Amino acid sequence: MAKATDGDTAPVPQRLLAAATRLFAEQGYDRTSVQEIVEAAGVTKGALYHYFGSKEDLLQEVYARVLRLQQERLDAFADADAPVEQRLRDAAADVVVTTIENLDDASIFFRSMHHLSPEKNKQVRVERRRYHERFRALVEEGQHSGVFSTATPADLIVDYHFGSVHHLSTWYRPDGPLSQQEVADHLADLLLRALRP
Amino acid sequence: MAKATDGDTAPVPQRLLAAATRLFAEQGYDRTSVQEIVEAAGVTKGALYHYFGSKEDLLQEVYARVLRLQQERLDAFADADAPVEQRLRDAAADVVVTTIENLDDASIFFRSMHHLSPEKNKQVRVERRRYHERFRALVEEGQHSGVFSTATPADLIVDYHFGSVHHLSTWYRPDGPLSQQEVADHLADLLLRALRP
Amino acid sequence: MAKATDGDTAPVPQRLLAAATRLFAEQGYDRTSVQEIVEAAGVTKGALYHYFGSKEDLLQEVYARVLRLQQERLDAFADADAPVEQRLRDAAADVVVTTIENLDDASIFFRSMHHLSPEKNKQVRVERRRYHERFRALVEEGQHSGVFSTATPADLIVDYHFGSVHHLSTWYRPDGPLSQQEVADHLADLLLRALRP
Amino acid sequence: MAKATDGDTAPVPQRLLAAATRLFAEQGYDRTSVQEIVEAAGVTKGALYHYFGSKEDLLQEVYARVLRLQQERLDAFADADAPVEQRLRDAAADVVVTTIENLDDASIFFRSMHHLSPEKNKQVRVERRRYHERFRALVEEGQHSGVFSTATPADLIVDYHFGSVHHLSTWYRPDGPLSQQEVADHLADLLLRALRP
DNA sequence: TATGAATGAGAATTCATTCAT
DNA sequence: AATGAATGAATTCTCATTCAT
């Protein structure tokens, strides 16, 4: 009977997650009440607490989804069979596109991480770290093979790039002058240009 | 009689602002109660509401202070008597140092702006815009005079750099391997390298 | 299981309404705190806000109840099969008795109506108007058929009578010299006497 | 220098009293803050507390003024040299005109009396009683001399009439179809007609 | 699997009043 | 005569969560 992912007929947990994602992005985690979420999802509070242990669990689920997706894509690009400068450029551009396509998740990610309890926060940080290190490894690979400048520590370069990705949710508008792909190309280009020896 | 800026003797509004800044940065705006602020400042709630119309006003005051400071510094560097690549590098490095020196304000700025009411938000955006445009003008000046590449739109370059500044509050630690100045130099360097024709 | 209207066993909304009615009448709407109401009803604040959107909603419910009751009774007397002077007298006396029997509601009604928000106030006024007009129609009927004097506009006569009803909560005491019925008969009599041609 | 009673130049206590009267009538006593009063009067809180011991004192002053005025006028009409039916009619009409002319005071009087502390309340009640009794004496004089019906106790007749006076603040509008004097004549007429033997 | 009534702690804000100057 | 900073208690309302059904 269910056909879409969002409508009235999607499984309850998905509907709750979709509603929570939208509301957290629009209003922030603290400003979104459990009541609003269940109303938006068309269920009752009891149902929410049947599937999720707490409001915080919902937030963590949003994170887990984003992290999983981005790690998968990074791994795919990094493991490709191509010169390192190509692989870095592709990965750098892809994370921009993926982030723009899931701007809600990104807003939540960067604005609400500190709302998680210490233990859950730690768990997320560990996964983030893994992602960061995979990306850094690409930079270092290019530095060791001499195609990238070694003037800047690789860690800092990763943070430089992810700063701009993080920032997207602040300024990017779908109806702006640049398409997703153009923004991605420009940002990847800036990264690669900065890395020229 | 008052000599310090923070102690028991500083004027009440300053003490409130200092306490609020610290707590907003540590816990986030929504998670910080008015009660906590007044306790930290050693005054009563009535006193707070005597000087500030609302909790939100306190937040706006923090913003106003940061914006004023950063605009002043940018103007000074941008108006200096030096080649444009030097002026851009100095401004780009200075905003990093200033941000690190006021990491609390920066965290609040980037994480809590969406907590302001629409009208106050607009006001802050207007001032942010002015700052952004002054910075962009520097980039464009270099592009027109041929010392910077024109491959990337100036607006995007400004957002690229400020993404990394914004991001500082996420990863920079005073006890990390790099000093403030080193980070600033590296980030300014990356910007200038990316702009090489 | 529930048998009384007030005890520990009555449904929570009724208990809240009963407590609020008594306290609003005794102390006035503004002087009665939500805390007092829930304590008197033996429930918690959360329960109150589960059933009523606001303190004001509670007040409006009190109004709605009174208005419904009085309109029903007026309609019954006005539509009866009797000479107009008899129907007016019965209606005029009945509203006195009903008001005395619900003196709390009446006090609240006349003293606290201006505490309602504009929109709710309007809604109450509309219902009041309907009541006023039904009563006025009775007076006019008698005037047209010649049994009542036309010296005074019917509207004014209605306000004259309701002034005295309104006033009851100021002076009527159950232990005073006159019974409810005696007061009602006297006031209806005064009205009819004033209307003699 | 001072020429009006209301402007910027009137003595401070008068200005406070005028501002308080207007605000109490518009918003109710409880809804009017001391801050609003002093702002409307163009002075500071300290000044208010210099002249009045409390917010309640301000309210009592408004009462005292009304009571004094109405008692004076009633005494004048009641002591006149005319037949009792003329004196009653004049007094009954005059209180209507005076009430309409001071509709703010009247609203406050009838709506806020229960806001006074028990002792002040008692004091006001005593003066009200004196007024009521002077009026009742007029009715009784007419009843004893046979020009008024004795069907209704004099006390009730006084309350009947004052109910309608009280009610004026609910329905009377200066831009309505009837002038002050017309309303006064009609209401006095109704009273006298009801008293016909 | 889901409901919805009920909890209880805590939120921001208001306000009459005081008092040193 | 008048100021205005400061108090502290009270106010309405919100909300994540629980639990009997």
Side-chain angles (χ1 to χ4, degrees):
Chain A
M1 218 59 73
K3 54 189 203 308
T5 30
D6 211 31
D8 236 16
T9 57
V12 169
Q14 265 93 320
R15 259 156 59 202
L16 283 165
L17 221 41
T21 301
R22 182 169 55 79
L23 291 166
F24 289 167
E26 278 172 10
Q27 317 178 336
Y29 176 77
D30 278 329
R31 305 257 165 136
T32 302
S33 73
V34 168
Q35 187 60 40
E36 283 176 293
I37 297 170
V38 298
E39 272 167 22
V43 302
T44 61
K45 279 193 208 174
L48 186 153
Y49 281 94
H50 182 73
Y51 291 108
F52 298 91
S54 66
K55 185 184 169 189
E56 212 193 340
D57 280 5
L58 269 173
L59 180 58
Q60 206 196 12
E61 264 306 298
V62 176
Y63 286 153
R65 218 177 40 193
V66 182
L67 286 166
R68 225 178 296 130
L69 176 68
Q70 297 209 324
Q71 186 75 48
E72 274 167 18
R73 300 189 69 96
L74 172 58
D75 289 344
F77 283 103
D79 294 343
D81 181 21
V84 65
E85 59 269 36
Q86 186 62 45
R87 282 181 283 135
L88 180 64
R89 179 186 292 272
D90 288 347
D94 180 71
V95 72
V96 172
V97 171
T98 311
T99 298
I100 291 180
E101 279 174 348
N102 299 279
L103 221 48
D104 275 0
D105 301 78
S107 305
I108 298 170
F109 200 96
F110 293 115
R111 284 208 300 236
S112 304
M113 209 163 64
H114 55 291
H115 289 326
L116 285 180
S117 64
E119 55 199 291
K120 287 187 177 154
N121 203 319
K122 192 170 181 181
Q123 196 182 326
V124 171
R125 274 175 196 282
V126 166
E127 300 201 51
R128 282 277 290 163
R129 190 76 215 154
R130 191 150 60 90
Y131 184 85
H132 178 103
E133 278 165 10
R134 188 71 191 80
F135 206 94
R136 187 188 58 189
L138 267 186
V139 173
E140 284 173 338
E141 185 186 338
Q143 287 180 324
H144 292 149
S145 66
V147 299
F148 296 157
S149 158
T150 57
T152 320
D155 265 328
L156 196 51
I157 286 167
V158 177
D159 282 322
Y160 194 58
H161 186 65
F162 281 96
S164 76
V165 172
H166 175 168
H167 207 44
L168 283 167
S169 62
T170 300
W171 66 267
Y172 183 81
R173 295 290 170 272
D175 53 349
L178 299 173
S179 71
Q180 291 181 16
Q181 195 56 54
E182 285 166 342
V183 172
D185 288 340
H186 276 309
L187 293 182
D189 192 51
L190 283 168
L191 175 65
L192 270 292
R193 294 170 67 85
L195 282 175
R196 280 174 299 173
Chain B
M1 216 63 70
K3 54 191 203 310
T5 31
D6 209 33
D8 237 14
T9 57
V12 169
Q14 266 95 316
R15 259 156 58 203
L16 283 165
L17 222 39
T21 300
R22 181 168 55 78
L23 290 165
F24 289 166
E26 278 171 10
Q27 317 178 337
Y29 176 77
D30 277 330
R31 303 262 164 131
T32 302
S33 73
V34 168
Q35 188 59 40
E36 285 175 293
I37 298 169
V38 299
E39 271 167 21
V43 301
T44 60
K45 270 190 239 184
L48 185 155
Y49 282 96
H50 183 69
Y51 291 106
F52 299 92
S54 65
K55 185 184 168 188
E56 208 193 344
D57 279 8
L58 223 35
L59 180 59
Q60 205 197 13
E61 264 306 296
V62 176
Y63 286 154
R65 220 178 38 194
V66 182
L67 286 167
R68 227 178 295 129
L69 175 70
Q70 297 209 327
Q71 186 76 47
E72 274 168 18
R73 300 190 68 97
L74 173 58
D75 288 343
F77 283 104
D79 294 342
D81 183 21
V84 66
E85 58 270 36
Q86 186 63 43
R87 283 180 282 137
L88 180 63
R89 179 184 291 272
D90 288 348
D94 180 71
V95 71
V96 173
V97 171
T98 310
T99 298
I100 291 181
E101 278 174 350
N102 300 279
L103 220 48
D104 275 0
D105 302 77
S107 305
I108 297 171
F109 199 96
F110 292 117
R111 280 208 302 238
S112 304
M113 208 164 67
H114 55 291
H115 289 325
L116 284 180
S117 64
E119 57 201 291
K120 286 185 177 158
N121 204 317
K122 192 171 181 181
Q123 197 181 327
V124 171
R125 274 174 196 284
V126 166
E127 299 202 52
R128 283 276 293 162
R129 191 77 215 153
R130 193 152 59 91
Y131 184 84
H132 177 104
E133 277 165 11
R134 188 72 191 80
F135 206 94
R136 188 188 56 189
L138 268 185
V139 174
E140 284 173 338
E141 184 186 339
Q143 288 179 324
H144 292 149
S145 66
V147 300
F148 296 157
S149 158
T150 57
T152 319
D155 266 327
L156 195 50
I157 286 167
V158 177
D159 282 322
Y160 194 57
H161 185 66
F162 281 97
S164 75
V165 172
H166 174 167
H167 207 45
L168 284 167
S169 61
T170 300
W171 65 266
Y172 184 82
R173 296 289 171 270
D175 53 351
L178 299 173
S179 72
Q180 290 179 18
Q181 195 56 55
E182 285 166 342
V183 172
D185 287 340
H186 277 310
L187 293 182
D189 194 49
L190 282 168
L191 176 64
L192 271 289
R193 294 169 67 85
L195 283 175
R196 280 175 300 173
Chain C
M1 217 64 70
K3 55 192 205 305
T5 30
D6 209 32
D8 236 13
T9 58
V12 170
Q14 266 94 318
R15 258 155 60 202
L16 283 165
L17 222 40
T21 301
R22 182 169 54 79
L23 290 166
F24 289 165
E26 277 171 10
Q27 317 179 335
Y29 175 76
D30 277 331
R31 302 264 164 131
T32 302
S33 73
V34 169
Q35 188 59 40
E36 284 176 293
I37 297 170
V38 299
E39 272 167 21
V43 301
T44 60
K45 268 189 242 185
L48 185 153
Y49 282 96
H50 182 71
Y51 291 105
F52 299 91
S54 65
K55 185 183 168 189
E56 209 193 343
D57 278 8
L58 222 35
L59 179 58
Q60 205 197 13
E61 263 306 298
V62 175
Y63 286 153
R65 220 179 38 196
V66 181
L67 285 166
R68 225 178 297 130
L69 175 70
Q70 296 210 325
Q71 185 75 46
E72 274 166 18
R73 301 190 67 98
L74 173 57
D75 288 342
F77 282 103
D79 294 342
D81 183 23
V84 66
E85 59 270 35
Q86 187 60 43
R87 283 179 283 137
L88 180 63
R89 177 184 293 271
D90 288 346
D94 178 72
V95 71
V96 172
V97 171
T98 310
T99 298
I100 292 181
E101 279 174 349
N102 300 278
L103 219 48
D104 275 1
D105 302 78
S107 304
I108 297 172
F109 199 97
F110 292 116
R111 281 208 303 237
S112 303
M113 208 163 67
H114 55 290
H115 290 325
L116 284 180
S117 63
E119 56 201 291
K120 286 186 178 157
N121 203 317
K122 191 170 182 182
Q123 196 181 328
V124 172
R125 273 175 197 282
V126 166
E127 299 202 52
R128 283 277 291 163
R129 191 75 215 155
R130 192 152 59 92
Y131 185 85
H132 178 104
E133 277 165 11
R134 187 75 191 80
F135 206 94
R136 187 188 57 189
L138 266 185
V139 173
E140 284 172 338
E141 184 186 340
Q143 288 180 322
H144 292 149
S145 67
V147 300
F148 296 156
S149 159
T150 57
T152 320
D155 267 325
L156 196 51
I157 286 168
V158 177
D159 282 321
Y160 195 59
H161 185 67
F162 282 97
S164 77
V165 172
H166 174 167
H167 207 45
L168 284 168
S169 61
T170 300
W171 66 266
Y172 184 81
R173 296 290 171 269
D175 54 350
L178 298 173
S179 72
Q180 291 179 17
Q181 195 56 54
E182 285 166 342
V183 172
D185 288 341
H186 276 310
L187 293 182
D189 193 51
L190 282 168
L191 176 65
L192 271 289
R193 293 171 66 85
L195 283 174
R196 283 174 299 176
Chain D
M1 216 60 74
K3 55 194 203 308
T5 31
D6 210 32
D8 235 15
T9 56
V12 169
Q14 266 93 323
R15 257 156 59 202
L16 283 165
L17 221 42
T21 302
R22 182 169 54 80
L23 290 166
F24 289 167
E26 277 172 9
Q27 319 178 336
Y29 175 77
D30 279 328
R31 306 255 165 137
T32 302
S33 72
V34 169
Q35 187 61 39
E36 283 176 294
I37 298 170
V38 299
E39 270 167 23
V43 302
T44 61
K45 279 192 207 174
L48 185 153
Y49 281 94
H50 182 72
Y51 291 109
F52 299 91
S54 65
K55 185 182 168 189
E56 212 193 341
D57 279 7
L58 224 36
L59 180 58
Q60 206 196 14
E61 264 306 299
V62 175
Y63 285 154
R65 217 178 40 194
V66 182
L67 286 166
R68 223 178 298 129
L69 176 70
Q70 296 209 326
Q71 186 74 48
E72 275 167 18
R73 298 189 70 97
L74 173 57
D75 288 344
F77 282 103
D79 294 342
D81 182 23
V84 66
E85 59 269 37
Q86 187 62 44
R87 282 180 284 137
L88 180 64
R89 177 185 292 270
D90 288 347
D94 179 72
V95 71
V96 172
V97 170
T98 310
T99 298
I100 291 180
E101 278 174 350
N102 300 278
L103 219 48
D104 275 0
D105 302 76
S107 304
I108 297 170
F109 199 96
F110 293 115
R111 282 208 299 236
S112 305
M113 208 163 66
H114 54 292
H115 290 327
L116 285 180
S117 63
E119 57 199 288
K120 287 188 176 152
N121 203 318
K122 191 170 182 181
Q123 195 181 330
V124 171
R125 273 176 196 283
V126 166
E127 299 202 53
R128 283 276 291 162
R129 191 77 215 153
R130 191 150 60 91
Y131 185 86
H132 179 103
E133 277 165 10
R134 188 71 191 81
F135 206 94
R136 186 188 57 189
L138 266 185
V139 173
E140 283 173 338
E141 184 186 339
Q143 287 179 324
H144 293 149
S145 66
V147 299
F148 297 156
S149 159
T150 57
T152 320
D155 266 327
L156 196 51
I157 286 167
V158 177
D159 282 321
Y160 194 58
H161 186 66
F162 281 97
S164 77
V165 171
H166 175 169
H167 206 44
L168 284 168
S169 61
T170 300
W171 66 266
Y172 184 81
R173 296 289 171 271
D175 53 351
L178 298 173
S179 71
Q180 292 180 14
Q181 196 55 54
E182 285 167 341
V183 172
D185 288 340
H186 277 309
L187 294 182
D189 192 50
L190 283 169
L191 174 65
L192 269 291
R193 293 171 67 87
L195 283 174
R196 280 174 299 172

